Amino acid sequence: MTDETIPASDAVPLLEPREGIPPVVEDPAALAAAVRAFADGDGPVAVDAERASGYRYSGRAYLVQLRRAGAGTALIDPIACPDLSELNAAVAGAEVVLHAATQDLACLAEVGFVPRRLFDTELAGRLLGYERVGLGTMVENVLGLRLEKGHSAADWSHRPLPEDWLRYAALDVEVLIELRDALHAELEAGGKLEWAREEFAAILAAAPSPPRSDPWRRTSGIHRVRTLRGLAVVRELWTLRDELARRADLAPGRVLPDSAIVTAALEQPRTTKALTDIAPFTGRSARRHLREWLGAIGRARVLPEAQLPHPSAPGDGPPPANRWADRDPAAAKRLAAARAAVAALADAHRMPTENLLQPDAIRRLTWEPPDDLGDDALAARLRELGAREWQIALTVHAISKALIRLDAKGELDP
């Protein structure tokens, strides 16, 4: 981590936005005025978005905050003003500053705000070796200011938004540009600015993530379900819950918690009484659909064996690394050697290993390496796996050297 951090005890509380809490933009006239102000502003544009994770099914934005020199701060209600494409055009040439950009880019794109240039303060902090990269911690360590983070998990779909929530939202972008400037200087001084630029460009160029295969397998506690019939119950209940949650725009856990799905898969109740003996099924939301839950369990119970789920999800990549030693001992040795080489480099460059080179790229490279273990062949393979040029330049020789050494020692022989 960087050596020059500010002690928490010396941090100055940031209690009020400099120009006060701006009125929420919630009609066409106010939005047009904001567009003009930001078009006339100067320099980077700080942006943040508030969602209602844990409350709503959708990942949409319920408040968008922006700040720019010469324009001040704008708080925009994207429910009342769902099209921000004119605002996007007004700042098209500016760098957009976000913290943890991948969390907000999708919901911003839904309302027509798509950055063309990006500075991600969280990712910059990771590249610089900060151990904790939450916005509040970064502002405190870098700028010596303390942000109040008490409303980060609020239900931002609530209307009207309380004044203290709006104050919190405005403060989230209040010093984001100052944080960007300080981190930019650190990146430049540490020779990491071009690395950061490649990372930011990769974030903007990334294709949307494809839908997860078998998303029901991510049910918390599913490891307790040891039978295929039980997995079928999980799948049926998860699918029903997902549909009910989507229809009501509620977070799935508010319709039925994962713990209820797993318990039902273990006990497979046949009657309403047996179902309601599982406590979460007596909750107000779950109780409305008792017949549907029982129907889902019944469908799983009579499903032909050929239609039961497989024990594990199909995948297009290597198996879990903890199985490599049994399935392919040579691959396990390659993985350990490559990981050690990358970890040493990450330590030398003071950043997390996963930011120096993606763990999935290391796994895929070492599970099926090219016949030629030289720098050029490994670099070509890493490029195919999505590694950035700066990552390849830093890591490929060390990985090549480690794998060639293993091969020379005969440790990869069957």
Side-chain angles (χ1 to χ4, degrees):
M1 193 179 81
T2 184
D3 294 328
E4 297 183 4
T5 57
I6 297 165
S9 59
D10 295 337
V12 177
L14 196 59
L15 301 177
E16 289 289 336
R18 275 167 273 197
E19 299 93 14
I21 304 172
V24 177
V25 174
E26 49 191 0
D27 61 62
L31 180 58
V35 169
R36 290 192 297 271
F38 276 81
D40 293 340
D42 297 307
V45 181
V47 181
D48 190 24
E50 305 296 346
R51 299 178 302 280
S53 304
Y55 295 92
R56 297 294 178 181
Y57 185 90
S58 73
R60 71 180 302 174
Y62 286 94
L63 189 70
V64 176
Q65 309 99 279
L66 306 97
R67 184 172 179 81
R68 191 181 196 187
T73 296
L75 304 179
I76 302 176
D77 181 349
I79 308 304
C81 300
D83 183 1
L84 302 187
S85 56
E86 288 189 15
L87 179 61
N88 187 61
V91 299
E95 179 185 79
V96 171
V97 184
L98 285 158
H99 190 82
T102 54
Q103 295 182 18
D104 289 338
L105 285 173
C107 69
L108 290 170
E110 286 181 356
V111 294
F113 193 91
V114 183
R116 299 179 191 178
R117 295 169 53 210
L118 174 69
F119 191 102
D120 185 334
T121 49
E122 183 200 51
L123 182 49
R126 292 184 185 278
L127 295 177
L128 288 166
Y130 282 89
E131 294 177 5
R132 299 170 60 202
V133 291
L135 179 59
T137 304
M138 291 292 291
V139 166
E140 191 165 310
N141 286 339
V142 178
L143 302 179
L145 299 170
R146 187 179 303 123
L147 282 174
E148 171 57 52
K149 300 301 293 178
H151 301 299
S152 58
D155 178 6
W156 288 89
S157 67
H158 176 82
R159 291 297 184 273
L161 290 168
E163 182 178 291
D164 57 331
W165 294 18
L166 296 175
R167 178 182 296 104
Y168 158 88
L171 289 173
D172 259 6
V173 292
E174 178 78 7
V175 293
L176 197 52
I177 293 172
E178 288 92 329
L179 179 62
R180 174 258 179 224
D181 291 345
L183 295 176
H184 185 281
E186 286 191 45
L187 289 166
E188 192 166 32
K192 297 180 177 182
L193 184 57
E194 290 306 315
W195 306 354
R197 285 174 173 159
E198 279 195 53
E199 291 299 295
F200 301 156
I203 290 173
L204 292 180
S209 299
R212 290 186 180 276
S213 174
D214 291 352
W216 57 270
R217 292 185 187 272
R218 293 176 61 83
T219 304
S220 179
I222 195 173
H223 63 279
R224 296 169 52 207
V225 181
R226 304 298 180 90
T227 68
L228 299 186
R229 189 70 59 185
L231 289 178
V233 173
V234 173
R235 182 175 62 186
E236 290 290 337
L237 287 174
W238 187 98
T239 302
L240 172 59
R241 180 185 68 172
D242 192 66
E243 176 56 33
L244 295 172
R246 186 193 306 271
R247 202 182 304 160
D249 191 20
L250 288 173
R254 290 184 171 267
V255 176
L256 187 71
D258 282 6
S259 60
I261 292 178
V262 170
T263 303
L266 294 172
E267 298 183 7
Q268 297 184 29
R270 294 173 178 268
T271 66
T272 300
K273 171 66 170 62
L275 184 63
T276 53
D277 282 344
I278 302 171
F281 282 96
T282 62
R284 183 174 62 179
S285 180
R287 197 169 56 240
R288 295 172 184 166
H289 306 287
L290 290 177
R291 290 181 61 184
E292 293 161 277
W293 303 129
L294 275 177
I297 296 167
R299 288 193 299 274
R301 189 182 296 113
V302 300
L303 203 63
E305 288 197 12
Q307 296 178 27
L308 293 175
H310 293 287
S312 59
D316 65 347
N322 59 8
R323 300 180 190 169
W324 287 28
D326 293 329
R327 293 187 56 174
D328 189 338
K333 291 176 182 178
R334 288 193 297 267
L335 178 62
R339 280 177 166 174
V342 173
L345 286 169
D347 187 59
H349 291 283
R350 302 169 73 182
M351 73 174 70
T353 303
E354 63 269 20
N355 288 110
L356 179 55
L357 190 61
Q358 300 92 317
D360 185 63
I362 299 175
R363 285 193 297 269
R364 290 174 184 265
L365 176 70
T366 53
W367 181 252
E368 294 182 337
D371 294 333
D372 181 357
L373 297 177
D375 288 14
D376 290 345
L378 292 187
R381 180 61 180 139
L382 286 172
R383 205 168 282 117
E384 291 173 0
L385 293 171
R388 265 69 81 186
E389 293 302 320
W390 74 270
Q391 295 174 318
I392 295 170
L394 284 179
T395 63
V396 70
H397 183 67
I399 295 173
S400 172
K401 185 177 178 181
L403 297 185
I404 289 174
R405 185 186 300 119
L406 270 182
D407 195 32
K409 290 181 177 179
E411 295 187 23
L412 302 183
D413 294 336

